[in-house]
Amino acid sequence: MTYLKQGVLAAAVMLAAMMTFLPQAHAEPCEQETFEQATYVVCTLEAGKADLRLFWKDADGEPYRAFSSLAEALRSEGKTLAFALNAGMYRADFSPMGLYVENGGELKPLNTAGARGSAGQVPNFYKRPNGVFFLDEAGAGILPTDEFLKRAPKVRFATQSGPMLVIAGKLNPIFIFGSTDRTRRSGVGICTSGAVRFAISEDSVNFHDFARLFRDRLKCPDALFLDGGRGVGLFYPAMGRNDRSWHGGYGPIFGLVE
C-alpha cells in the first residue's frame, strides 16, 4: 500500500510538471457584446500587466494615420500590435486636440478652452466636462480635465478627449435620455476590477445609452468618450478588423504591444 501511495504521488508530481510546459489558454481581450439591442466590441486589458501605449508619430515625425502603419513599424522592432483604437479627437493635421503625453513627454498641452455656440452646436471635445485618460506607475486612471489640472499627476501616457461619459459612478448630466443624436461611438472606462475597458458600438447609439453601457454593464465608475461617426475604428486581427478612418487617417492611437 505504501508503494502504491508513493506511485500515485510520483505520477501526480510528473503530471503537474508536464502541465507547466503546456500552452495556457487565455481569454481574448476583445469580444462582441450586446446591450439593450445594440452590438458592441468590448476589449478588456489589465493596465498593470498589458503593454498598453499611446502612439501618434513615426520615426520620421509623421502621424501614423493608419493602424497598419503602426503595426508595420512595431513589426520591424520584433513586436506585434495585438489591438489598436483611435485614442481621441484630432485636428485636420492629425494632431491631438488636447493633452497628449507619450513616454513621459508632453507633446501637446492640456486644452482648457471653451467653444461658443448652443449646446447642440458645441463639438464633442468641448462638451463639459471633458477629461483625461492616463497611465502612471499606479496603473490607469480617468479624471475630468479640471480635476486632472488640480492633481497634476506624473504620467507616462495621457490623452485628453470628451465629454466624460461616467463620473464617479454617475452619468454625465448633459446627456438626454432617448436623444435622437445617434451614431457609432467609441470610449474607454476604468472599471471596479481595475481593468481598462474599451468599447466600440457597431450600431448607432446616443450618448446616454453609450454611457450606461459603461456604468451598468461594464461596471466602470469612470468613462471617457473617444470619438464618434466616421472616426471610430478598431484594429484587432483576431476578428479580422483593420478599420480605416474616413477622415483620411487617425491622430493619437491606443496600441496593445506584444
Side-chain angles (χ1 to χ4, degrees):
M1 183 65 71
T2 301
Y3 291 113
L4 178 59
K5 290 182 178 178
Q6 290 177 342
V8 171
L9 180 60
V13 171
M14 289 179 63
L15 179 60
M18 290 173 60
M19 290 296 290
T20 62
F21 293 98
L22 292 177
Q24 300 297 307
H26 61 279
E28 295 294 338
C30 300
E31 297 177 336
Q32 275 202 340
E33 187 158 343
T34 300
F35 178 65
E36 296 182 346
Q37 300 181 330
T39 302
Y40 300 86
V41 176
V42 177
C43 302
T44 303
L45 307 175
E46 297 295 334
K49 299 177 182 178
D51 189 2
L52 179 63
R53 309 182 197 175
L54 281 163
F55 299 90
W56 173 25
K57 294 182 177 181
D58 61 21
D60 296 324
E62 297 296 325
Y64 284 107
R65 294 177 56 176
F67 296 137
S68 54
S69 298
L70 174 57
E72 184 177 346
L74 288 170
R75 194 178 303 117
S76 69
E77 300 174 7
K79 297 180 175 63
T80 299
L81 180 64
F83 149 81
L85 188 80
N86 173 15
M89 293 161 214
Y90 47 96
R91 304 183 188 279
D93 63 356
F94 308 103
S95 63
M97 289 190 66
L99 177 70
Y100 182 81
V101 177
E102 186 175 319
N103 294 318
E106 183 181 292
L107 304 185
K108 286 288 181 178
L110 201 69
N111 185 342
T112 58
R116 296 180 180 178
S118 65
Q121 297 172 330
V122 174
N124 287 331
F125 179 89
Y126 296 103
K127 289 177 180 175
R128 301 291 185 178
N130 60 18
V132 177
F133 172 94
F134 59 92
L135 292 166
D136 59 15
E137 293 182 355
I142 294 174
L143 289 172
T145 295
D146 290 348
E147 187 65 23
F148 184 88
L149 188 61
K150 290 177 184 176
R151 297 191 190 185
K154 184 177 181 181
V155 300
R156 291 187 298 113
F157 294 96
T159 182
Q160 184 182 7
S161 191
M164 290 285 294
L165 297 170
V166 187
I167 310 162
K170 296 182 179 180
L171 301 186
N172 190 325
I174 69 172
F175 299 152
I176 301 171
F177 176 79
S179 170
T180 57
D181 178 15
R182 306 174 72 86
T183 188
R184 293 183 65 219
R185 302 185 188 276
S186 64
V188 59
I190 307 298
C191 305
T192 51
S193 63
V196 179
R197 284 191 169 139
F198 298 92
I200 287 182
S201 68
E202 299 289 76
D203 301 309
S204 294
V205 296
N206 61 35
F207 271 120
H208 194 277
D209 293 345
F210 193 47
R212 286 194 303 106
L213 167 79
F214 280 97
R215 186 191 67 178
D216 301 341
R217 172 59 66 86
L218 303 182
K219 307 302 179 185
C220 301
D222 296 286
L224 178 67
F225 180 68
L226 293 175
D227 211 342
R230 298 184 300 172
V232 172
L234 170 69
F235 177 87
Y236 188 56
M239 282 186 175
R241 296 287 292 267
N242 182 15
D243 299 349
R244 59 181 292 187
S245 167
W246 294 98
H247 295 303
Y250 298 104
I253 295 172
F254 282 113
L256 174 62
V257 180
E258 295 181 343

